[in-house]
């Protein structure tokens, strides 16, 4: 430890011997990164949200071009009075259908609407021929009342239309359009969709829009808020700096560190060739706020040293000497939390982990090194004593409470942790409420989702894919009966609003060919007869690909669709469990047949939830383990590492308890926030522990050392926590994207809890257990803190 410390001491001497040269190198690097910034783009890619190695996503990628995927726009046209079967309303539905079909990126072969050319009524002629016609012909004359009644009866007679595309009360018609995944311009598609809704709005008519592309479109829609939030955040942080320091140094120096750090961070994103996703902007804001926090710690310490040394250069050097190593350990902890996000298989989080961890590490140079060097070359401030404020008085009072009641504080912390663990056990995996948690419940998107789900079996679809070893295997009666049994099993779930698949189609056509006699609504016993029914259905339609939504061209792969009204975590778990249960019980009963899970919005969301849960199980323990190891190695003490583990465990357990109470689920959005929060929050405990060690060397009295550390570093930790929250708090009040607000609130809760751990638990732990890595210290001639006796880490327990 001593040799390592002396090495850092020699580096420190070299740096402060040539501060201007080092600052010039940092400035030149900053210009290089600034040159890269214009090429950074902000957009969302749906594929970035998907865990590509998950078997459900692999299936989704295989079938999306044939059966469709989760990237679907759903539009509902609702009449407030009467029903949709009037000439005016039918014309409107047709026009909206055509407009949706013409949206950018729409797969024209996968558009569904009861007025679309691909949706047809089929009947048997007197000559025994099967013919079909579209339900609605825009070129025909206006229909009479009798004709409209007949049309409504024809719709009701077709279960593929009545229910899936026309609501049971006949007040709403549904239009679905799959988008081609890849280089989609979500912003353009959403803008045209919103224009469509405005153009076709009528009195007494409601036009709803939901689906993943619409959700991403809303995220783009609020991009302009980012600038507004940035401005308000900057004003708040500057105001806080003025209030706390009341000096130009205290305001401009931390801001300079933030500006340089942010320039490096955005430049790093550009060099990686990554995009900024609108939904992930809270974390870059958090990193900038962390840079500000470290800058405040440095300036606060600089003024404290200046009161003793009265020399600006010496005060800056001592600030660097005392804060660079614990600060660097804190930054590395931040970076570890960020980098480990990449363990999950979601590309969005992988990209975020890569650039944000390097951005966080850059704080070592742009703030922890640059700020002390800058202070060393600047003239000495005219006022070297900071004025008293409310926080300083609070810090004095709090120090007395902690020193007087350390055992009681630890007991309270233990009770809170146990109680928090019980509440945390109720946290939901996935979404905890209907609609999308990215937007508020009263938002147009969630209102649209609720209106559509209330009128239809459900806008959330689960795809279960059946595959047969042989070409044409889906025509075998035993295969169709097995799929029918699977449908019956899935329909036992009360959340399933309906289903669609090959068995339904075959039974319907068979009934039609037998004068619509319901006794013939069954699966034939002959494979060739099934093939004949399929051929008759295709021949009756002049539109190619009539069977495409049910079976692939080789008739080897078939798709069963089940409709759900929401994609809450519990709904998805029950859906997947129900399907797996049937598969386990019936696997291998039909030779050559296999059942695969799962596609559609439910399948894709299930994959995302499972990936989030698996990532959460791995990432958090690793964050804990690595930070424990770093602290233990840095201080050569097992108890130092264990003390930080206790602080992290306390804050993280109560964070999960908050999530349980606030009904915030564990999903791909919250897992990175939690991992980042752990890494960021542990900084405070590290700073506090290190300052107690330093004061112990000076004073030799543990109680007085803790009291002094709380009055100085405790004050700085409190203010930096407030500043950190200020850096993200405006997302809570200004962002119309609920996810950003919830993420900012979750991070704020984690910051507060980590601040409590640092200011109350860590000093109390030191006072109660008196760890040797703190109580047995001295300094050498070079003022390097070291142990009085050489001890192995295990002796410190």
């Amino acid at each position: 430890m001593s040799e390592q410390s002396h090495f850092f001491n020699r580096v420190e001497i070299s740096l402060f011997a040539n501060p201007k040269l080092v600052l010039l190198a940092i400035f030149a690097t900053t210009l290089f990164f600034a040159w890269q910034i214009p090429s950074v783009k902000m957009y969302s890619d749906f594929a970035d949200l998907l865990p590509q190695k998950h078997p459900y996503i692999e299936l989704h990628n295989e079938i999306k071009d044939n059966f469709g995927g989760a990237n679907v726009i759903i539009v509902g046209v609702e009449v407030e009075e009467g029903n949709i079967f009037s000439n005016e309303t039918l014309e409107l539905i047709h026009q909206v259908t055509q407009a949706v079909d013409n949206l950018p990126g729409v797969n024209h072969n996968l558009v569904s609407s009861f007025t679309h050319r691909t949706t047809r009524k089929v009947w048997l002629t007197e000559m025994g021929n099967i013919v079909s016609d579209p339900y609605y012909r825009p070129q025909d004359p206006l229909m009479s009342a009798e004709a409209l009644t007949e049309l409504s009866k024809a719709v009701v007679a077709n279960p593929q239309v009545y229910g899936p595309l026309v609501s049971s009360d006949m007040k709403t018609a549904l239009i679905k359009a799959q988008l081609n995944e890849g280089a989609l311009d979500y912003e353009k598609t959403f803008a045209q969709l919103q224009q469509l809704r405005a153009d076709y709005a009528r009195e007494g008519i409601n036009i709803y829009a939901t689906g993943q592309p619409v959700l991403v479109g809303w995220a783009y829609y609020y991009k302009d808020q980012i600038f507004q939030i940035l401005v308000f955040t900057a004003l708040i942080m500057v105001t806080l700096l003025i209030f706390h320091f009341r000096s130009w140094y205290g305001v401009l120096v931390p801001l300079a560190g933030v500006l340089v750090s942010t320039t490096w961070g955005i430049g790093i994103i550009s060099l990686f060739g990554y995009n900024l996703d609108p939904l992930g902007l809270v974390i870059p804001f958090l990193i900038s706020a962390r840079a500000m926090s470290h800058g405040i710690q440095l300036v606060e310490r600089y003024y404290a040293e200046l009161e003793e040394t009265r020399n600006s250069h010496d005060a800056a050097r001592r600030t660097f000497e005392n804060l660079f190593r614990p600060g660097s350990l804190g930054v590395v902890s931040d970076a570890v939390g960020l980098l480990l996000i990449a363990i999950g298989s979601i590309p969005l989080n992988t990209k975020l982990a890569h650039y944000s961890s390097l951005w966080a590490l850059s704080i070592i140079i742009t703030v922890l090194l640059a700020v002390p060097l800058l202070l060393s070359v600047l003239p000495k401030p005219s006022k070297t004593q900071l004025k008293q404020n409310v926080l300083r008085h609070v810090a004095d009072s709090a120090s007395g409470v902690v020193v007087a009641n350390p055992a009681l504080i630890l007991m309270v912390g233990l009770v809170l942790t146990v109680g928090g663990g019980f509440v945390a056990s109720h946290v939901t995996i996935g979404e905890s409420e209907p609609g999308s948690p990215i937007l508020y419940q009263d938002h147009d998107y969630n209102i649209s989702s609720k209106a559509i789900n209330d009128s239809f079996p459900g806008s959330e679809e689960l795809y279960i894919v059946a595959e047969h070893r042989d070409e044409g295997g889906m025509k075998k009666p035993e295969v169709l009966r097995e799929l029918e049994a699977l449908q019956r099993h899935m329909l036992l779930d009360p959340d399933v609003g309906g289903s669609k698949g090959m068995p339904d189609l075959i039974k319907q056509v068979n009934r039609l060919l037998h004068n619509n006699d319901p006794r013939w609504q069954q699966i034939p016993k002959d494979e060739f007869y099934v093939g004949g029914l399929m051929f008759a259905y295709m021949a009756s339609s002049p539109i190619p690909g009539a069977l495409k939504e049910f079976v692939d061209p080789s008739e080897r792969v078939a798709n069963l669709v089940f409709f759900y009204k929401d994609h809450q975590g519990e709904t998805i778990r029950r859906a997947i469990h129900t399907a797996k249960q049937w598969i386990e019980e019936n696997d291998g009963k039909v030779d050559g047949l296999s059942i695969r899970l799962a596609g559609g919005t439910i399948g894709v969301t299930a994959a995302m939830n499972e990936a989030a849960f698996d990532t959460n199980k791995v990432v958090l323990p690793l964050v804990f383990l690595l930070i424990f190891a770093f602290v233990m190695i840095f201080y050569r003490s097992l108890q130092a590492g264990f003390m930080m583990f206790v602080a992290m465990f306390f804050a993280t357990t109560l964070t999960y308890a908050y999530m349980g109470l606030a009904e915030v689920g564990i999903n791909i959005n919250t897992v990175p926030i939690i991992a980042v929060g752990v890494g960021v929050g542990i900084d405070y405990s590290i700073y506090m522990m290190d300052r107690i060690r330093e004061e112990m060397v000076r004073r030799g009295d543990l109680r007085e050392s803790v009291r002094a550390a709380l009055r100085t570093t405790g004050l700085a930790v409190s203010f930096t926590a407030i500043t950190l929250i200020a850096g993200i708090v405006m997302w809570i009040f200004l962002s119309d994207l609920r996810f950003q607000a919830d993420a900012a609130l979750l991070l704020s809760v984690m910051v507060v809890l980590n601040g409590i751990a640092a200011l109350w638990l860590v000093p109390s732990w030191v006072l109660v257990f008196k760890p040797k890595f703190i109580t047995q210290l001295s300094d050498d001639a070079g003022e390097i803190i070291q142990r009085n006796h050489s001890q192995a880490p295990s002796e410190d327990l």
Side-chain angles (χ1 to χ4, degrees), residues 226-247:
I226 296 169
F227 178 74
Q228 182 182 4
I229 291 171
L230 177 62
V231 170
F232 277 104
T233 298
L235 290 174
I236 289 175
M237 297 180 83
V238 170
T239 302
L240 284 172
L241 290 174
I242 294 172
F243 165 78
H244 187 70
F245 288 109
R246 302 180 189 181
S247 72

Side-chain angles (χ1 to χ4, degrees), residues 169-199:
D169 60 6
M170 297 189 181
K171 286 182 172 292
T172 310
L174 209 60
I175 302 149
K176 295 183 179 181
Q178 294 279 346
L179 296 189
N180 298 304
E181 292 181 18
L184 277 172
D185 190 338
Y186 285 102
E187 195 168 12
K188 183 179 179 181
T189 301
F190 177 75
Q192 288 194 23
L193 177 62
Q194 290 298 88
Q195 187 62 49
L196 176 160
R197 296 176 69 188
D199 290 343

Side-chain angles (χ1 to χ4, degrees), residues 509-525:
V509 177
N510 194 24
R511 171 179 173 171
L512 183 65
L513 283 174
H514 291 85
N515 297 315
N516 215 24
D517 186 341
R519 292 176 299 178
W520 287 93
Q521 190 162 328
Q522 57 182 278
I523 297 171
K525 297 179 180 179

Side-chain angles (χ1 to χ4, degrees), residues 435-447:
S436 172
I438 291 177
L439 298 164
Y440 290 97
Q441 284 298 301
D442 60 353
H443 190 277
D444 175 82
Y445 178 87
N446 283 327
I447 291 173

Side-chain angles (χ1 to χ4, degrees), residues 384-689:
T384 60
Q385 188 172 8
L386 294 174
K387 295 183 178 181
Q388 291 293 317
N389 56 43
V390 176
L391 275 179
R392 299 187 195 282
H393 292 300
V394 171
D396 288 342
S397 302
S399 64
V401 174
V402 173
V403 170
N405 306 283
L408 177 61
I409 290 171
L410 288 182
M411 286 300 298
V412 172
L414 178 61
V415 171
L416 288 174
T417 303
V418 173
F422 174 75
V423 178
S425 65
H426 296 88
V427 177
T428 302
I429 307 299
E431 315 303 352
S432 58
E433 57 188 19
S436 172
I438 291 177
L439 298 164
Y440 290 97
Q441 284 298 301
D442 60 353
H443 190 277
D444 175 82
Y445 178 87
N446 283 327
I447 291 173
S448 291
S449 296
K450 184 178 186 305
I452 290 172
N453 284 321
D454 286 347
S455 299
F456 292 88
S459 62
E460 312 290 348
E461 298 178 345
L462 169 65
Y463 294 173
I464 299 180
V465 174
E467 290 187 1
H468 199 276
R469 180 184 56 229
D470 304 327
E471 188 171 330
M474 286 302 136
K475 294 185 292 188
K476 296 183 178 183
E478 64 271 23
V479 170
L480 291 171
R481 282 193 288 270
E482 195 75 353
L483 299 187
E484 184 182 31
L486 172 55
Q487 284 182 276
R488 284 198 302 267
H489 178 79
M490 294 298 295
L491 288 169
L492 294 174
D493 184 349
D495 282 337
V496 178
S499 69
K500 179 179 70 175
M502 273 284 290
D504 305 315
L505 177 67
I506 296 301
K507 290 191 294 182
Q508 182 186 354
V509 177
N510 194 24
R511 171 179 173 171
L512 183 65
L513 283 174
H514 291 85
N515 297 315
N516 215 24
D517 186 341
R519 292 176 299 178
W520 287 93
Q521 190 162 328
Q522 57 182 278
I523 297 171
K525 297 179 180 179
D526 184 81
E527 176 181 345
F528 296 103
Y529 193 84
V530 172
L533 294 177
M534 293 171 64
F535 177 78
Y537 181 78
M538 287 188 293
S540 69
S541 174
I543 305 299
L547 289 173
K548 191 172 184 181
E549 61 181 308
F550 301 101
V551 67
D552 75 330
S554 70
E555 298 171 347
R556 195 182 65 83
V557 181
N559 187 31
L560 298 177
V561 182
F562 300 91
F563 302 100
Y564 292 79
K565 291 185 178 295
D566 62 69
H567 58 264
Q568 295 182 74
E570 185 58 36
T571 302
I572 292 174
R573 276 194 301 278
R574 187 164 55 249
I576 297 299
H577 172 74
T578 303
K580 285 182 175 179
Q581 183 184 48
W582 188 92
I583 293 169
E584 289 173 3
E585 293 175 357
N586 296 275
D587 184 41
K589 280 189 176 181
V590 175
D591 184 46
L593 178 65
S594 61
I595 306 295
R596 296 178 62 190
L597 297 175
T601 51
I602 294 290
V604 166
T605 308
M608 294 162 72
N609 289 348
E610 290 180 12
F613 180 68
D614 292 341
T615 302
N616 190 63
K617 288 193 302 184
V618 174
V619 168
L620 274 186
L622 274 177
V623 171
F624 276 46
L625 179 63
L626 288 175
I627 293 177
F628 171 84
F630 289 156
V631 173
M632 183 188 70
I633 293 169
F634 188 85
Y635 290 101
R636 297 179 64 198
S637 167
L638 276 173
Q639 195 172 66
F642 186 71
M643 193 191 309
M644 292 302 100
F645 177 86
V646 168
M648 287 186 292
F649 188 77
F650 167 81
T652 306
T653 301
L654 291 186
T655 297
Y656 279 112
Y658 161 77
M659 292 174 66
L661 292 173
E663 296 185 343
V664 177
I666 296 175
N667 52 52
I668 61 168
N669 298 316
T670 55
V671 167
I673 299 297
I674 297 167
V676 170
V678 172
V680 167
I682 200 62
D683 286 11
Y684 302 144
S685 294
I686 292 172
Y687 271 122
M688 179 57 63
M689 181 175 66

Side-chain angles (χ1 to χ4, degrees), residues 245-425:
F245 288 109
R246 302 180 189 181
S247 72
W248 287 109
Y249 276 51
V251 175
L252 297 181
V253 172
L255 286 179
V258 171
L259 182 62
V260 173
S261 171
T262 302
T263 302
W264 282 40
I266 299 177
I268 288 169
I269 295 173
S270 177
L271 290 176
F272 271 114
Y274 290 162
N275 59 294
L276 271 172
D277 193 289
L279 297 178
L281 290 175
V282 174
I283 289 179
F285 268 68
L286 177 70
I287 298 172
S288 295
R290 285 303 297 136
M292 173 76 80
S293 297
H294 285 290
I296 290 168
Q297 290 270 10
L298 291 164
V299 175
E300 178 84 22
R301 186 59 177 265
Y302 169 74
Y303 272 97
E305 297 292 347
L306 203 56
E307 284 192 53
E308 292 187 15
T309 64
R310 301 295 175 181
N311 182 283
S312 179
H313 183 83
D314 290 344
R317 179 180 165 183
R318 289 179 64 174
T319 297
F320 176 83
E321 176 186 306
N322 290 314
L323 293 186
F324 181 78
R325 279 170 286 184
S328 297
L329 180 59
V331 167
V332 170
S333 299
D334 298 349
V336 165
L338 289 162
L339 184 59
L340 288 178
I341 298 170
I343 289 177
S345 55
I346 297 172
L348 175 64
N349 289 345
T350 302
K351 292 178 181 180
L352 179 67
H354 290 165
Y355 74 73
S356 60
S357 58
L358 288 176
W359 185 344
L361 283 174
S362 74
I363 293 175
I364 293 176
I365 298 174
T366 59
V367 178
L368 296 177
L369 173 60
V371 167
L373 290 175
L374 181 61
L375 289 170
S376 73
V377 300
L378 289 173
K380 178 182 174 183
S382 57
K383 295 181 180 180
T384 60
Q385 188 172 8
L386 294 174
K387 295 183 178 181
Q388 291 293 317
N389 56 43
V390 176
L391 275 179
R392 299 187 195 282
H393 292 300
V394 171
D396 288 342
S397 302
S399 64
V401 174
V402 173
V403 170
N405 306 283
L408 177 61
I409 290 171
L410 288 182
M411 286 300 298
V412 172
L414 178 61
V415 171
L416 288 174
T417 303
V418 173
F422 174 75
V423 178
S425 65

